[in-house]
Amino acid sequence: AARGGAETRKPQYYQDFSELVSHQQVEITQSFPKEGWVEADPKEIMQSVYKVMDRTCEKLHQLSVDVSRIKGLHTGLSLFKSIIMHWFHMDTQRRFTSHYSFTPYSVVHKTGLPISTYFSAVKLRWLLDNVDEVKQAVVSGRALFGTVDSWIIWCLTGGRSGGVHITDVTNASRTMLFNIHTLNWDQELCRYFDIPMEILPKVHSSSEIYGHMSAGPLAGVPISGCLGDQSAALVGQMCFSDGQAKNTYGTGCFLLRNTGTKSVMSEHGLLTTVAYKLGKNQPAHYALEGSVAIAGAVVRWLRDNMGIVQSSSEIEELAAAAGTSYGCYFVPAFSGLYAPTGSPVIICGLTQFTNRNHLAFAALEAVCFQTREILDAMNLDSGVPLSQLQVDGGMTSNRLLMQLQADILCMPVVRPSMAETTALGVAMAAGAAEGVEVWSLSPQQLPVISAETFEPQINTEGTTGPMRGRNEPCVFNAPPTGPAAAALREREVRAEASPAQNDLHTLCFRSLFIFYQSAS
């Protein structure tokens, strides 16, 4: 399985889909040509894919594993750099959304997405309007468009020498050109954005043979699995039942909740997306998704911009030393808060006593509070409260963060021992594809993967937690333990001493839309 994030490419080899045999990682260079622009070179992306595949094959040889046993893999000339999060700056975002201010209801209904520069359609429209080479290539019929998965599969299957131009339903559903109900490119949407349909890739399921490796040590091996990264994590967490949810803590946070074969249109600011379609003849499953723009990135900001920590791992040590934010709240909305609200950056509650330990604690709390807000919106949309949250991603190694998350959510947080659930998910899809079938994804044959559960250390019976209401302290189990409990105790004291300040703290996270509306 080849798994790619915004900054790395990570191939893993699974002998059994509950057993990780090899793991390699290569960082990808990002460029920032203008404020709010983030780009990556597609050629470098492919070089990183080939590099990690070669490293994986070398590792397998060292382990006496015959690479011919590999049954399936997942995952041209580039006219323009890959736009990862182009126009990340909120001012640019507002200019583009105002251009499409009269968005037909059908756009949101068909795609499950709001008009945003985050999705492919607006980026492609910008390229056609501003890059002559791209425009001329489209006019002359020489151009193809695709998300990163399409680019990788096209290259691996031969590129200009017969490469297949495809994508899967999960990646297509994030372009704003794909009808998530009919599971096809939508003519009305393409006309709305003035994008020719003939340049779009053919849409397939997430688990089938798309083509074969054209060269290298894995030549002839079928490519049989393709999922968007968050959908892959949902599969890797084995959230196959309606109501199950997972949250991935990376550069941002991405919380997906499986809604089964029925698409649920959010009334509380969330996205509706295709979760997966595991086979040509299998039904599509849908999900509600809420995103936190800045999660792990806030730690990087504290390290690189502010010098508060020397390494990303240091933040847990600093936060644990404080045991509380001492009334300091951090809203890290450097590019707005994705769903369900928007807001500027805010750090409030500072006093002469505040130090870097308190800011470190507040940064971790910020991730947890934003996750709680998304979860509350999901519960309102689905009508069925979640009973536990499954988690994955790099930040989950921070035990303090996980305990804070359990306390703020007032529910168990379950962290699997298999850290690379995104790669696991796409490996599961590839191995289960018709014609590969090295394992089955039927509920009876799914393995049990060990996990650690973080139980909330507070008792909310008869009261409300910090995100459920104002000035109502949580009741602790006896005896209360851990820094999360200490932090909430300290808040209770401060709330009684200064109710006005407590109201301000609550507003910062419970009513973020007030700041957003004021700014706009």
Side-chain angles (χ1 to χ4, degrees):
R3 178 248 168 165
E7 300 170 351
T8 58
R9 287 287 171 265
K10 303 179 181 180
Q12 285 86 21
Y13 173 75
Y14 294 88
Q15 182 168 305
D16 175 87
F17 72 70
S18 62
E19 178 186 359
L20 177 62
V21 177
S22 176
H23 170 277
Q24 305 292 330
Q25 178 173 325
V26 172
E27 187 167 338
I28 295 171
T29 304
Q30 293 185 358
S31 60
F32 304 88
K34 295 182 181 180
E35 182 182 2
W37 292 36
V38 185
E39 298 176 350
D41 187 341
K43 294 180 181 179
E44 183 184 356
I45 290 174
M46 283 313 303
Q47 289 170 357
S48 71
V49 170
Y50 292 131
K51 184 180 295 184
V52 290
M53 288 175 65
D54 288 343
R55 289 182 183 177
T56 299
C57 289
E58 290 175 7
K59 180 64 175 179
L60 295 179
H61 282 306
Q62 294 172 11
L63 297 173
S64 300
V65 176
D66 186 356
V67 295
S68 66
R69 293 177 55 195
I70 298 177
K71 301 299 183 182
L73 294 173
H74 121 281
T75 186
L77 175 65
S78 171
L79 293 173
F80 198 75
K81 290 186 176 181
S82 171
I83 309 172
I84 298 174
M85 285 174 278
H86 213 160
W87 312 303
F88 210 32
H89 194 261
M90 287 303 292
D91 287 341
T92 312
Q93 162 77 2
R94 291 191 189 100
R95 285 199 296 273
F96 271 85
T97 52
S98 64
H99 179 72
Y100 292 104
S101 57
F102 299 103
T103 305
Y105 168 77
S106 60
V107 173
V108 177
H109 176 71
K110 288 182 175 184
T111 66
L113 308 173
I115 286 287
S116 170
T117 59
Y118 187 79
F119 306 112
S120 306
V122 178
K123 299 177 186 180
L124 180 54
R125 183 66 258 156
W126 183 90
L127 290 172
L128 292 169
D129 291 340
N130 293 276
V131 182
D132 287 338
E133 187 178 2
V134 173
K135 181 179 179 180
Q136 294 304 318
V138 170
V139 171
S140 62
R142 295 181 292 109
L144 299 174
F145 162 78
T147 45
V148 174
D149 59 295
S150 299
W151 165 249
I152 292 175
I153 293 174
W154 184 76
C155 290
L156 292 180
T157 55
R160 285 182 288 177
S161 300
V164 295
H165 184 220
I166 67 98
T167 188
D168 89 303
V169 291
T170 66
N171 287 290
S173 71
R174 308 316 294 270
T175 62
M176 205 179 287
L177 301 170
F178 185 74
N179 189 316
I180 62 174
H181 309 290
T182 65
L183 302 181
N184 289 302
W185 300 118
D186 191 273
Q187 290 186 353
E188 181 185 8
L189 296 175
C190 290
R191 282 197 303 269
Y192 180 68
F193 290 103
D194 193 19
I195 291 173
M197 295 184 68
E198 56 270 18
I199 69 173
L200 302 178
K202 185 177 180 180
V203 181
H204 289 255
S205 75
S206 308
S207 178
E208 62 179 273
I209 295 177
Y210 313 113
H212 295 77
M213 290 286 295
S214 63
L218 300 177
V221 174
I223 300 173
S224 54
C226 181
L227 284 158
D229 55 353
Q230 300 313 316
S231 293
L234 192 74
V235 173
Q237 288 273 22
M238 302 183 198
C239 295
F240 294 126
S241 299
D242 185 353
Q244 287 185 298
K246 69 87 200 172
N247 195 26
T248 299
Y249 297 75
T251 302
C253 274
F254 298 89
L255 203 163
L256 266 68
R257 178 171 183 153
N258 191 328
T259 62
T261 56
K262 178 182 178 182
S263 59
V264 176
M265 303 307 292
S266 175
E267 297 180 357
H268 299 90
L270 303 176
L271 309 181
T272 302
T273 190
V274 180
Y276 54 82
K277 186 179 187 295
L278 298 176
K280 294 181 182 179
N281 301 316
Q282 297 300 313
H285 283 68
Y286 296 87
L288 284 170
E289 177 176 346
S291 305
V292 174
I294 303 295
V298 73
V299 180
R300 195 175 305 115
W301 181 80
L302 290 174
R303 182 193 67 192
D304 298 340
N305 292 51
M306 305 302 291
I308 288 176
V309 295
Q310 300 303 311
S311 65
S312 297
S313 58
E314 186 184 355
I315 192 167
E316 181 175 9
E317 180 182 343
L318 293 179
T324 174
S325 64
Y326 198 71
C328 173
Y329 280 83
F330 189 171
V331 183
F334 297 104
S335 57
L337 301 177
Y338 285 170
T341 58
S343 175
V345 178
I346 299 170
I347 299 178
C348 65
L350 300 176
T351 70
Q352 288 181 312
F353 179 71
T354 306
N355 59 38
R356 65 177 188 150
N357 295 359
H358 301 126
L359 287 175
F361 197 98
L364 297 183
E365 282 186 317
V367 175
C368 298
F369 279 128
Q370 291 178 92
T371 297
R372 172 61 190 265
E373 191 171 24
I374 292 171
L375 197 66
D376 284 347
M378 284 189 172
N379 287 337
L380 290 172
D381 279 329
S382 66
V384 181
L386 197 67
S387 59
Q388 69 176 27
L389 181 65
Q390 295 170 239
V391 298
D392 57 80
M395 288 190 79
T396 61
S397 62
N398 188 320
R399 297 181 60 83
L400 173 59
L401 175 68
M402 294 295 95
Q403 187 57 59
L404 281 170
Q405 189 69 88
D407 290 343
I408 289 172
L409 294 180
C410 301
M411 70 174 61
V413 169
V414 181
R415 181 182 66 182
S417 58
M418 172 67 71
E420 292 293 341
T421 55
T422 303
L424 174 61
V426 77
M428 291 166 61
E434 182 180 354
V436 178
E437 299 164 300
V438 294
W439 48 59
S440 171
L441 299 184
S442 64
Q444 299 79 10
Q445 299 187 42
L446 292 176
V448 176
I449 296 179
S450 61
E452 181 177 6
T453 300
F454 294 84
E455 297 285 351
Q457 296 178 345
I458 57 177
N459 175 19
T460 59
E461 183 177 356
T463 65
T464 54
M467 287 291 289
R468 289 186 180 173
R470 304 180 191 178
N471 304 322
E472 297 186 62
C474 293
V475 177
F476 293 93
N477 293 319
T481 59
L488 288 170
R489 264 204 229 95
E490 178 266 335
R491 291 222 180 112
E492 181 179 347
V493 173
R494 290 174 66 84
E496 293 174 355
S498 181
Q501 185 182 42
N502 186 64
D503 279 343
L504 176 60
H505 295 163
T506 304
L507 281 172
C508 284
F509 284 96
R510 193 168 185 270
S511 303
L512 288 171
F513 64 90
I514 294 176
F515 296 102
Y516 177 77
Q517 290 175 345
S518 297
S520 60

